[in-house]
Every structure is written in C-alpha cells, then in structure tokens.
C-alpha cells in the first residue's frame, strides 16, 4: 500500500483544478471505480490502497452520487499525515 501512495496522491492532486475529472468522479460511488479512472489517467493504484486511506481518514468507503470529489479532496488535504 505505501508504495502506491505517491500515485494515489498524484491523482488526487488533479481533482481541484480539473472540472471534467470532478464531474466524472461524481458519477461514481466506489473505490473500485475511482481506481479504474486513476489507472486510465496514468496514476495506477489498487482500490484497496484507497480503501485503506479512507479508513485512516474516517471516511466511508462508498460515496453518495455527486459527492465522491469532495470525499477525495478531504483525503488529499490530509495527505501529509498519511505519508
């Protein structure tokens, strides 16, 4: 998991400045779907890595429709404590 964190946080860094990515993430609800999008964009990590980060941040593993971007941004803002 730790070796995948740079790729995970590299992907999460893209979210705030990319409205198209935000919109796409808001169409998904699971960590598997997020990991698939990240892999397509050249930031591969396993869904289990994101799940572990969510757990460490006390975030649920599933987001309601339209809220995944906010959940991922909250996790990104806690990255220093997670590395």
């Amino acid at each position: 998991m730790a070796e995948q964190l740079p790729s995970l946080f590299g992907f999460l860094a893209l979210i705030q400045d990319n409205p198209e990515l935000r919109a796409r993430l808001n169409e998904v609800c699971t960590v598997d779907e997020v990991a698939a999008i990240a892999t397509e964009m050249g930031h591969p990590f396993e869904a289990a890595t994101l799940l572990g980060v969510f757990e460490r941040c006390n975030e649920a593993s599933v987001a309601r429709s339209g809220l995944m971007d906010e959940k991922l941004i909250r996790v990104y803002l806690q990255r220093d404590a997670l590395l």
Side-chain angles (χ1 to χ4, degrees):
M1 177 175 134
E3 66 277 353
Q4 295 181 7
L5 291 178
S7 187
L8 169 64
F9 288 118
F11 173 69
L12 297 182
L14 302 173
I15 296 171
Q16 287 183 332
D17 295 328
N18 188 330
E20 292 171 359
L21 177 57
R22 284 185 83 151
R24 188 169 178 200
L25 289 169
N26 281 330
E27 295 174 4
V28 303
C29 298
T30 69
V31 294
D32 293 322
E33 294 167 309
V34 173
I37 292 170
T39 298
E40 289 174 19
M41 295 185 69
H43 294 273
F45 57 85
E46 294 179 23
T49 300
L50 180 55
L51 181 62
V53 169
F54 276 175
E55 288 174 358
R56 290 177 61 196
C57 293
N58 294 317
E59 292 283 348
S61 61
V62 180
R64 290 183 303 181
S65 181
L67 296 177
M68 184 59 83
D69 68 325
E70 293 176 21
K71 179 184 290 281
L72 294 170
I73 290 169
R74 283 194 303 270
V75 167
Y76 179 71
L77 293 174
Q78 296 180 58
R79 70 191 175 282
D80 291 336
L82 298 167
L83 291 174

